[in-house]
Amino acid sequence: MAGKKRKTPQLDQLEKGAWPSFVKEIKTSAEKNPMADDLLGQLERSYEDRIGHWKHGGIVGVLGYGGGVIGRYSDLPEEFPNVSHFHTLRINQPAGWFYTSDVLRKLCDIWEKHGSGLTNMHGSTGDLVFLGTRTEELEPIFQELTELGFDLGGSGSDVRTPSCCCGKARCEWACYDTMALTYFLTMHYQDELHRPAFPYKWKFKMSGCPNDCVASIARSDMSIIGTWRDDIQVDKAAVAEYAKSGMNIQRDVVDNCPAKCMAWDGKEIKIDNKSCVKCMHCINVMPKALAPGKDRGACILIGSKAPIIEGALLSSVLIPFIKLEPPYTELIELVDRIHEVWSENGKNRERIGEFIQRVGMGNFLEAIGVEPIPEMVAHPRENPYVFYEEFFEEESDGSDEQAPK
Amino acid sequence: MAEQATVEEVSEAMFKMIRDSMGQKKWKATDLTKAVTELFGERCDKTLAKSAIRELIESGKCVYTYFGGSFIEIPHKEGAEN
Ligand code: HEM
Ligand code: HEM
Ligand code: SF4
Ligand code: SF4
């Protein structure tokens, strides 16, 4: 604020070093925004006292919605009156995070007028995050946001704002249109997004290929990850070009293939595609020469979460391969069956992954009407595309017993 | 077949449950749905319960709250607010 400058010796430490600093950003905002200024004050106090000075609030929101606003209050309102309320808003981002600079300016104008001016572009949920406003500002902000064509995102026990990698908009590896599916799911599940009716949160994250740029496998109740089921496309001339320009194909590509299904004879690369686990390694190293196959779709995995109530889980395979094209009927029917079973039987604050652990994958599959298959392995690191035919052949000409190895 | 209950009837019943147990029980959408489908029997299904919840919220008689999970409550001044 003009005139007085806070002393923030503890926070100043966080400005040291070569990396960006949120302290620097808050200080810049504090020059014109009293909320940002009191935020600095309260944060400095938190470091002195070694304790957070925020209280969680539970009942703030906009009329009709059960998500999108996360209530926070200061427990030192006399000292820092401008952050006595400091609610966070989640705003549903456009699929793939594409904006025009004009819209970004308008979003910031709304936020500077009604809040702290501080944003997080973007939060780990995918949403555009506005940090810090008062209860009475919520409806005016919401009104201006909707006029600009934006809506609040999810929070609480609802469908969280779906998010995705940039997919076909910018990436040739996308095996399905992640942005189209994200938009579709966002619109299709508007009711579930704004009116929390589940045992706990439900996140969809869409990645176009197994590189999984939105870390869908670790962060979403339903991870929809692009893959292919035919052969990796090989451009022989481009492989030769890599070799000529000095790439050590044996060491850096073939020897690193986790499935050990590649061979290099100094001239040609050979891939045993039925053993390939679609890890993307070879394609990432030789993007000009190799590409995912042409028969593309996605693998649907279920159950990942961060450690909140119980430990972290990664998603495991539910549907090894599905073609994902509008109107996505098969996917929607599957999701609705899962939601129904989980809503009916899930405990309060039980994520789908924990629910499956509690009731058992077998019972869960039966309840949602999906046949168990070998690809549904317990651990994602054992890749969904391991097939056991070889193993069975060996066994079958001996006895029926499972000989321990 | 008994005739379906109206949205108003169901939302009124929900409101009473919430009001009468204030301070003792927090209701989630699924709890309310289960309670009214039991109360009304075949006169109320999940879809009707959903409309009734929507009516409760949009009329302003109840609000969604968040305490770990999402609940439906009668609006009140929040403890954390100063
Ligand atoms: C002991 C103190 C705290 C605990 C145990 C705690 C716990 C949590 C947990 C478990 C979540 C994840 C919930 C979800 O994703 O639905 C969360 C999210 C969040 N918390 Fe806290 N929290 C604490 C303090 C705070 C404080 C002091 C603030 C702000 C002043 C805060 C702001 C938030 C926000 C904005 C989110 C949403 C973040 C996101 O979506 O990525 N929390 N917190
Ligand atoms: C030393 C101080 C802090 C550290 C190290 C820190 C660190 C982080 C990190 C690592 C994340 C996850 C980022 C992501 O994956 O998107 C995060 C998210 C967040 N932080 Fe902070 N933070 C700090 C202070 C604050 C303060 C002071 C506030 C608000 C007053 C705040 C509000 C949030 C919110 C709302 C999110 C979640 C946004 C979202 O992901 O949806 N943080 N913070
Ligand atoms: S996940 Fe795959 S398709 Fe999506 S941006 Fe990353 S590399 Fe491209
Ligand atoms: S994608 Fe992975 S498993 Fe498949 S051939 Fe390439 S390196 Fe091997």
Side-chain angles (χ1 to χ4, degrees):
Chain A
M1 274 203 313
K4 93 175 168 184
K5 220 166 178 217
R6 285 185 186 279
K7 289 216 161 34
T8 53
Q10 309 267 353
L11 289 179
D12 295 349
Q13 303 278 327
L14 295 168
E15 283 186 288
K16 293 184 180 158
W19 39 84
S21 163
F22 72 94
V23 172
K24 179 167 162 252
E25 301 305 325
I26 302 178
K27 281 186 180 170
T28 309
S29 301
E31 283 165 22
K32 42 185 189 186
N33 187 306
M35 286 188 105
D37 187 54
D38 269 3
L39 177 63
L40 277 180
Q42 171 157 327
L43 266 183
E44 182 69 17
R45 263 297 286 280
S46 291
Y47 281 101
E48 281 163 16
D49 300 351
R50 298 176 183 226
I51 188 175
H53 283 292
W54 301 107
K55 293 186 289 184
H56 287 218
I59 68 177
V60 291
V62 300
L63 180 69
Y65 279 20
V69 180
I70 299 156
R72 291 290 178 270
Y73 301 95
S74 169
D75 72 2
L76 301 168
E78 278 85 34
E79 260 171 275
F80 305 107
N82 296 310
V83 294
S84 58
H85 295 199
F86 204 75
H87 311 317
T88 289
L89 274 83
R90 291 201 179 125
I91 292 121
N92 197 136
Q93 81 285 4
W97 299 291
F98 288 91
Y99 300 87
T100 60
S101 55
D102 178 52
V103 157
L104 283 177
R105 284 197 182 86
K106 286 178 177 151
L107 283 165
C108 291
D109 288 347
I110 295 175
W111 191 232
E112 281 178 354
K113 186 165 134 207
H114 295 287
S116 72
L118 299 167
T119 67
N120 176 359
M121 302 279 286
H122 292 81
S124 51
T125 54
D127 298 270
L128 205 173
V129 179
F130 282 1
L131 290 159
T133 191
R134 299 190 58 79
T135 305
E136 61 274 17
E137 296 288 352
L138 295 172
E139 291 290 349
I141 293 168
F142 183 55
Q143 166 120 31
E144 289 186 32
L145 283 173
T146 47
E147 275 163 18
L148 191 58
F150 282 81
D151 195 359
L152 293 185
S155 69
S157 310
D158 61 8
V159 165
R160 298 303 187 81
T161 314
S163 78
C164 64
C165 76
C166 61
K168 290 191 170 174
R170 296 187 59 191
C171 185
E172 64 200 273
W173 291 333
C175 294
Y176 71 96
D177 190 340
T178 55
M179 289 171 60
L181 180 61
T182 299
Y183 181 74
F184 173 81
L185 290 173
T186 307
M187 300 315 281
H188 185 84
Y189 288 113
Q190 277 293 294
D191 190 48
E192 289 77 4
L193 203 159
H194 296 307
R195 300 182 185 87
F198 295 141
Y200 204 14
K201 66 187 90 168
W202 173 277
K203 299 181 179 170
F204 287 109
K205 290 198 196 296
M206 276 53 78
S207 279
C209 82
N211 279 335
D212 195 7
C213 289
V214 292
S216 147
I217 198 163
R219 310 194 302 153
S220 53
D221 299 272
M222 183 169 272
S223 321
I224 305 181
I225 303 179
T227 188
W228 64 97
R229 57 182 171 186
D230 56 349
D231 296 351
I232 290 179
Q233 301 182 59
V234 184
D235 177 339
K236 288 184 183 161
V239 173
E241 197 60 38
Y242 275 114
K244 213 175 93 193
S245 60
M247 177 182 280
N248 187 334
I249 292 179
Q250 183 63 39
R251 188 192 65 198
D252 295 336
V253 182
V254 175
D255 290 351
N256 284 333
C257 166
K260 300 276 171 264
C261 66
M262 306 186 86
W264 168 245
D265 61 7
K267 283 200 208 78
E268 245 185 78
I269 215 161
K270 287 229 167 60
I271 304 173
D272 174 13
N273 276 281
K274 65 181 189 314
S275 299
C276 164
V277 296
K278 278 75 175 172
C279 78
M280 291 297 289
H281 171 73
C282 58
I283 299 172
N284 290 336
V285 178
M286 310 172 81
K288 290 183 190 165
L290 306 179
K294 289 183 175 152
D295 186 10
R296 299 177 174 193
C299 176
I300 298 180
L301 303 96
I302 189 142
S304 66
K305 56 175 283 290
I308 295 181
I309 313 286
E310 295 185 21
L313 292 171
L314 292 182
S315 286
S316 52
V317 174
L318 187 64
I319 307 289
F321 190 90
I322 185 173
K323 283 276 180 189
L324 281 178
E325 273 140 27
Y328 309 108
T329 318
E330 209 184 327
L331 175 65
I332 293 301
E333 283 170 4
L334 174 72
V335 172
D336 289 348
R337 286 202 301 278
I338 295 172
H339 283 169
E340 175 128 14
V341 169
W342 174 51
S343 295
E344 192 67 33
N345 304 296
K347 294 188 197 164
N348 187 24
R349 302 195 80 191
E350 185 174 50
R351 295 282 287 269
I352 192 73
E354 292 157 352
F355 174 72
I356 294 171
Q357 281 194 325
R358 178 164 64 83
V359 303
M361 186 57 120
N363 292 326
F364 173 71
L365 292 176
E366 198 179 317
I368 62 167
V370 171
E371 285 293 314
I373 44 168
E375 288 92 328
M376 296 169 181
V377 289
H379 305 284
R381 282 291 158 208
E382 304 161 23
N383 199 284
Y385 294 90
V386 179
F387 293 93
Y388 295 98
E389 276 139 304
E390 251 179 16
F391 182 76
F392 285 128
E393 267 160 28
E394 267 173 39
E395 293 294 313
S396 59
D397 48 34
S399 73
D400 287 336
E401 278 170 50
Q402 295 267 315
K405 291 218 162 162
Chain B
M1 271 284 301
E3 207 177 308
Q4 276 247 308
T6 63
V7 172
E8 290 69 33
E9 255 182 285
V10 179
S11 76
E12 190 51 37
M14 286 177 171
F15 184 76
K16 283 204 185 99
M17 290 174 191
I18 298 169
R19 190 192 56 202
D20 296 347
S21 58
M22 240 176 121
Q24 285 141 43
K25 180 176 165 60
K26 275 194 202 292
W27 295 83
K28 293 184 69 83
T30 39
D31 305 331
L32 286 171
T33 303
K34 278 181 191 163
V36 292
T37 45
E38 234 163 72
L39 183 69
F40 287 88
E42 54 185 52
R43 294 183 59 226
C44 177
D45 59 12
K46 280 187 199 161
T47 319
L48 179 56
K50 200 171 172 179
S51 310
I53 290 174
R54 190 163 175 170
E55 159 69 23
L56 266 185
I57 300 290
E58 291 186 351
S59 65
K61 286 166 83 178
C62 285
V63 289
Y64 286 108
T65 64
Y66 180 82
F67 296 95
S70 299
F71 297 91
I72 294 170
E73 296 184 61
I74 294 170
H76 53 273
K77 192 168 156 77
E78 155 143 76
E81 191 183 338
N82 305 285

